[in-house]
Structures are given as C-alpha cells and as structure tokens.
Amino acid sequence: MEEKLSVSPASLVDQLVVPGDVILDLSSMANQTIKLGGGLRQDGDVISVIKAGKLRFSKPNKYWVESSHKRYVPSVEDHVLGIVVDCKADNFLVDIKGPSLAFLPVLAFEGGTRRNIPKFQVGALLYVRVVKANPSMNPELSCTDASGKAAEFGLLKDGYMFESSTGLSRMLLSSPTCPVLEDLGKKLSFEIAVGLNGRVWVNADSPSSIVIVAKAIMNSEFLSAAQQRIMVKKLFDKIQSSTV
C-alpha cells in the first residue's frame, strides 16, 4: 500500500528525518513544481528521505536533507570549491571531494571560445557550479551561472583554503547570515567563498586576519547562534588584551 503523508511538509522543515520518511505527496499538490536536493528521492508521487539529517527548505520550492559528512555527493546546482588536478585539451579534471573527479570543459566560461581558453596550473583553486551529476558518470562543472555569466565563479587567488564538513558549509551559506560571519564582518574586512562540498576559502588584507576568520569558522560548527557570538567576542577580547 502506498504510504501517504500524514503531516504537512512545513512541519518537517528543520526537523530530523531518517531514510524512509515521506516528506511530500505530489498527488495533493496540483500545478506545483518542486526541486529536490541531496538526500531525497521521488518514487511516483511520493518524495521520501534516503539519508538521515535535517530537512531543509529554501524559497520558492527547493527541499533537501542536510547532514554533516566529510564525503561529498555532487548535486546539480551545487556551488563548490574544486582543485585542478590535470589539464586536458578539452577540459580540466577537478577534485571536488566527490566519489570521482569532475570535469570542467574549457568552453564552460563566460564568452568561452577556442581562442580564449583559460590557463590553469595544477593545484589552482576554482569556485564552480555543478551542472551535471549522475552516479554513473563524472560530474560536469561550469564557471558561469545559469544565464552564462561569470558572476562570482572562477579562479580564487591568494587567501587560504581549509576543509570542513558539509554541514558546516551549509550553515555558513544559510540565510539570514549565520552569527559567526555576521560578527566577524563587524570587526574585520575579508572575502569568503564557501563550497557545499566542505571547502572554505578566506582572504583578507593580512595573514593574521585570515587566521582569525578561519579559526572562528572552524570553531563554530557545533555552537548555537548565541554561543557563536560569545565565541567571536572572546576571540577579539583575547586579541585586544594581548596587544595592550
């Protein structure tokens, strides 16, 4: 017998879900388009959970299951940080922490043509978008947004990149801005790029500022909003006292 949803999807958002939980019954949602992210599967009219975590929702219509893992499973439209590991005639091979290397076509750039192919060294750090993700093939990447513009994608120069869990990455990308980034921004000027694959890049005017931001972010993963603010305050109080 087909299982029907007994509670509203809204009541499950931000709650823990486990494999087998049904979060949506599309037969009761006429003329609505739903986008599914990682951790969910569609079987007929039923949307169910395939991995444990918290159910998340972003307007207007995207659902996904957020869980904290070191291993990243690529999903279409994810923004990730990739490291170039090889350069071929038609594409770059890029490590995005997934089960297999991804490829970035040399034409997947704004205004990309054979005459202006970008040149990246092995080890270059790129901010890219996942455009194809299938378990049976290598993911495909792009350095443009859906309209073909470069937007924020491309080479990340200088700065410092560190590894995190996927859960921390999603927290940093949450809306409204998470407290640790909000409070750091009140004290320091810095740039940040966060990949859903558990990589974070930080750049600032001085190495000491980069270290402060990276340390605060890494310490924030398991803290509540209030605890994040307290942690940042204590960090700057300590820095201030050591410079007096």
Side-chain angles (χ1 to χ4, degrees), residues 9-172:
S11 67
L12 295 174
V13 172
D14 296 331
Q15 301 299 313
L16 288 173
V17 292
V18 297
D21 285 351
V22 175
I23 64 121
L24 287 171
D25 179 7
L26 301 181
S27 65
S28 61
M29 302 174 64
N31 300 321
Q32 293 189 46
T33 300
I34 302 296
K35 292 184 179 180
L36 300 182
L40 297 174
R41 177 181 64 189
Q42 180 175 355
D43 185 10
D45 286 333
V46 173
I47 306 299
S48 59
V49 177
I50 58 174
K51 71 175 181 181
K54 286 188 177 182
L55 180 66
R56 300 298 193 188
F57 170 76
S58 66
K59 294 181 179 180
N61 55 11
K62 183 174 181 178
Y63 290 87
W64 72 93
V65 175
E66 178 182 295
S67 53
S68 186
H69 297 289
K70 292 296 184 182
R71 181 174 175 269
Y72 165 67
V73 179
S75 183
V76 173
E77 292 303 325
D78 280 358
H79 296 179
V80 299
L81 299 186
I83 299 172
V84 176
V85 297
D86 200 2
C87 304
K88 303 292 186 180
D90 295 324
N91 56 69
F92 302 97
L93 294 181
V94 183
D95 168 24
I96 59 171
K97 289 181 67 175
S100 59
L101 293 176
F103 69 93
L104 172 64
V106 296
L107 300 181
F109 297 81
E110 183 177 4
T113 67
R114 288 290 177 182
R115 292 187 177 183
N116 63 347
I117 293 175
K119 293 180 173 59
F120 297 127
Q121 300 294 324
V122 171
L125 182 65
L126 305 176
Y127 189 51
V128 291
R129 180 172 65 97
V130 179
V131 294
K132 292 182 181 179
N134 189 306
S136 62
M137 61 188 292
N138 297 71
E140 182 179 338
L141 309 173
S142 175
C143 269
T144 67
D145 60 17
S147 65
K149 300 297 183 181
E152 70 271 30
F153 300 107
L155 180 66
L156 296 175
K157 299 179 181 179
D158 304 320
Y160 171 64
M161 189 276 289
F162 59 92
E163 306 277 351
S164 73
S165 67
T166 57
L168 176 57
S169 290
R170 290 190 181 277
M171 183 194 78
L172 295 173

Side-chain angles (χ1 to χ4, degrees), residues 210-228:
I210 294 175
V211 171
I212 291 169
V213 173
K215 182 178 180 180
I217 289 173
M218 287 187 280
N219 290 342
S220 68
E221 180 169 6
F222 302 107
L223 301 181
S224 67
Q227 289 172 329
Q228 288 180 32

Side-chain angles (χ1 to χ4, degrees), residues 208 212 234-244:
S208 60
I212 291 169
K234 287 183 176 179
L235 179 61
F236 281 100
D237 286 346
K238 183 177 180 181
I239 294 170
Q240 186 174 11
S241 63
S242 64
T243 56
V244 173

